[in-house]
Amino acid sequence: MDGERRAHPRFPLILAVQYLGAENVLDYTENLSAGGLFIRTERSFEEGERVTLVLSFPQLLEPVELQIEVVRRRDGADGSPAGVAVRVPDDRPEDRARLADVARRVAGVRHADPSFRILLVEDNALVATMYAAALRRLSETEHVPGLGIEVASDGAAAFDRLLRAPPVDVVVTDVFMPIVSGITLVERIRAEPTLAHLPVVVITAGGEQERERLSGLGVSLFLRKPVSYQDLSGAVRSLLDGRTARPQAAPPREEARREALTADAEVGTDRSDAKPASRR
């Protein structure tokens, strides 16, 4: 892998990784090149093991299926995320070509640095895809160019990303997640001097007590589940435009029919007089 690392530039863009036969498992790349990639994962793999996986990223990359071979494991004992270094076997030339194409596209994205970076923190891969698609639409159709969208599956991965360059401009996070919750993530953000003033949008199905706790941590905006395209794009646009950072009420229902991103119907920005919503 060291020889391949020298031969092919590596890019630290985060891509989603799923496995054929275990689609409910969602991991992420740490970096990739035309010769191989590193996957952050808690799954147990043996060196030499072959696995078929799917790389994807909303807005950038349609799902790409590859067969890979594990060449090295990292147990995370030194505090770094656990994972595996993998390569495409020599007897899979078609997969090597696919990975090389992914690396070329990632290189193109790296050369065109986004004007704004948004970190989505959501443990449900389908929901994260819908949120990212909504922000892609904001970028493409509503004259907000240069949005870079990254995804983290829990608060721990999100905080690790926030500590690394390039800086993130806005965090959009769910509350109820495994490993590290959205509330704990916001607490860590506010306790870190370099991140203390980072705008955070919280998506929640919780009630008033949760909202009050997050308000005390300086959360910029609250969105109640189910989230509509108008809610999410409006919240992010207001922050990127430098508008008010105080929680705002959604327009009255009769003013517009909202385009829901999730299965339920209309949803508005959380308000101080809202009834507590049931937890998922």
Side-chain angles (χ1 to χ4, degrees), residues 234-249:
V236 171
R237 178 188 278 277
S238 71
L239 292 174
L240 296 182
D241 286 349
R243 298 172 184 170
T244 177
R246 298 177 61 186
Q248 303 172 2

Side-chain angles (χ1 to χ4, degrees), residues 50-249:
R50 291 195 178 193
V51 180
T52 299
L53 53 80
V54 179
L55 297 178
S56 63
F57 190 89
Q59 184 186 16
L60 171 65
L61 182 68
E62 293 299 317
V64 176
E65 184 177 314
L66 304 169
Q67 185 176 109
I68 54 86
E69 180 181 16
V70 177
V71 296
R72 178 169 48 85
R73 295 183 296 175
R74 186 172 73 190
D75 59 16
D78 59 354
S80 59
V84 289
V86 305
R87 65 184 291 274
V88 177
D90 294 335
D91 60 1
R92 302 286 298 186
E94 67 279 10
D95 287 349
R96 294 183 73 87
R98 291 191 189 104
L99 183 58
D101 181 62
V102 170
R104 282 193 295 270
R105 282 191 269 174
V106 171
V109 171
R110 293 287 295 170
H111 289 311
D113 288 337
S115 303
F116 303 101
R117 291 181 173 85
I118 300 170
L119 180 62
L120 294 173
V121 193
E122 168 60 60
D123 62 309
N124 185 305
L126 177 60
V127 173
T129 299
M130 290 189 293
Y131 290 166
L135 294 175
R136 176 181 60 195
R137 181 172 170 184
L138 174 67
S139 176
E140 293 177 350
T141 67
E142 298 192 19
H143 309 294
V144 184
L147 287 183
I149 304 167
E150 299 182 34
V151 180
S153 62
D154 66 80
F159 190 69
D160 179 72
R161 166 61 185 91
L162 291 171
L163 294 177
R164 295 183 283 108
V168 169
D169 297 286
V170 173
V171 172
V172 179
T173 183
D174 190 15
V175 170
F176 303 106
M177 296 181 293
I179 305 177
V180 172
S181 71
I183 292 178
T184 301
L185 171 62
V186 176
E187 290 174 338
R188 292 183 180 180
I189 289 172
R190 295 299 179 238
E192 170 57 45
T194 61
L195 303 173
H197 300 292
L198 180 65
V200 178
V201 178
V202 169
I203 298 174
T204 178
E208 188 65 21
Q209 184 176 4
E210 175 186 281
R211 181 182 182 278
E212 290 177 357
R213 182 178 177 186
L214 287 163
S215 293
L217 293 170
V219 167
S220 302
L221 291 167
F222 296 87
L223 300 177
R224 291 171 58 200
K225 290 184 176 180
V227 177
S228 72
Y229 162 73
Q230 288 90 342
D231 289 328
L232 181 57
S233 61
V236 171
R237 178 188 278 277
S238 71
L239 292 174
L240 296 182
D241 286 349
R243 298 172 184 170
T244 177
R246 298 177 61 186
Q248 303 172 2

